[in-house]
Amino acid sequence: MPKTAEISTLAVEPPEPDRLAPFGILLTHDERTRNVAPFYDEAVVTSRPVAYECEGPTELSLARIQPRTPRVRFLERHFRHTQSFLPLGGKPFVLVMAPRAPVPDLAALRAFRFDGSAGFAMHLETWHEFPFALQADTDIVVVLSAQTVRDLRNTAADSLDASGPDLEKLDLQARYAELPVVDL
């Protein structure tokens, strides 16, 4: 018989850097890493807020997501890359995460509301659910390893778990009688 989850409803928090620190880094201009390109009369200024990690080819996917039932059905983590979500069009989304651990601690799940003005790069092995759209046709660029794309095809026969060298994806519905809910 499936176990009962340790948490039933997640409050949504603002994505402040100190609150996000256990999970990753907010992708926005960082004055500490400011670099003025010498080629364009100072019209181009770059920064490098995070050191992106990937042990192989990287893919950019464009996900168009729709509002869905705010239940945390899946949690996944990546071992070889710092997956990133970059919103297009300024639409908000909610990202649910749990700290790095051998198994996800549902009591440690946290939900963050991003307003669509900045992206987010997760630390290696951060447990997460795919973002929840708050508006129809929310476009997000997903930066991930090509290995993860292959790993997602390795779905278990008796659940929607998937695994591989860069992925562990767990179907929580196969494990728990009740799923955590996000208070959108």
Side-chain angles (χ1 to χ4, degrees):
M1 173 173 225
K3 299 184 286 184
T4 301
E6 292 90 11
I7 190 166
S8 58
T9 303
L10 295 170
V12 178
E13 303 175 52
E16 296 168 359
D18 59 326
R19 292 178 184 209
L20 290 170
F23 310 106
I25 296 174
L26 194 62
L27 296 177
T28 186
H29 280 284
D30 183 341
E31 287 299 316
R32 295 170 299 166
T33 63
R34 186 176 192 268
N35 181 42
V36 178
F39 310 106
Y40 304 102
D41 297 326
E42 298 187 15
V44 177
V45 177
T46 63
S47 66
R48 188 171 181 226
V50 66
Y52 179 77
E53 295 180 49
C54 189
E55 292 184 15
T58 300
E59 291 196 10
L60 298 178
S61 297
L62 180 58
R64 175 160 288 162
I65 56 177
Q66 307 299 332
R68 67 184 197 267
T69 303
R71 284 192 169 76
V72 181
R73 166 88 190 263
F74 300 99
L75 284 176
E76 66 183 64
R77 63 181 175 161
H78 306 285
F79 305 103
R80 298 181 174 176
H81 80 284
T82 52
Q83 184 173 16
S84 301
F85 298 106
L86 308 170
L88 298 177
K91 292 185 179 180
F93 63 94
V94 170
L95 185 57
V96 174
M97 296 176 283
R100 298 176 244 192
V103 295
D105 178 358
L106 298 188
L109 282 174
R110 292 177 62 189
F112 295 93
R113 183 186 190 278
F114 293 83
D115 66 7
S117 67
F120 186 69
M122 286 179 285
H123 295 314
L124 292 174
E125 299 187 39
T126 296
W127 290 100
H128 62 283
E129 170 68 286
F130 201 82
F132 290 91
L134 299 178
Q135 297 177 12
D137 300 327
T138 296
D139 290 333
I140 297 177
V141 174
V142 183
V143 183
L144 70 167
S145 73
Q147 181 63 55
T148 289
V149 174
R150 290 189 295 275
D151 293 346
L152 285 167
R153 294 185 192 118
N154 296 328
T155 305
D158 59 343
S159 72
L160 291 177
D161 286 358
S163 64
D166 190 32
L167 173 75
E168 182 176 10
K169 185 176 187 92
L170 303 178
D171 179 359
L172 299 182
Q173 187 168 287
R175 291 167 172 77
Y176 299 100
E178 294 179 40
L179 298 176
V181 174
V182 182
D183 187 13
L184 299 179

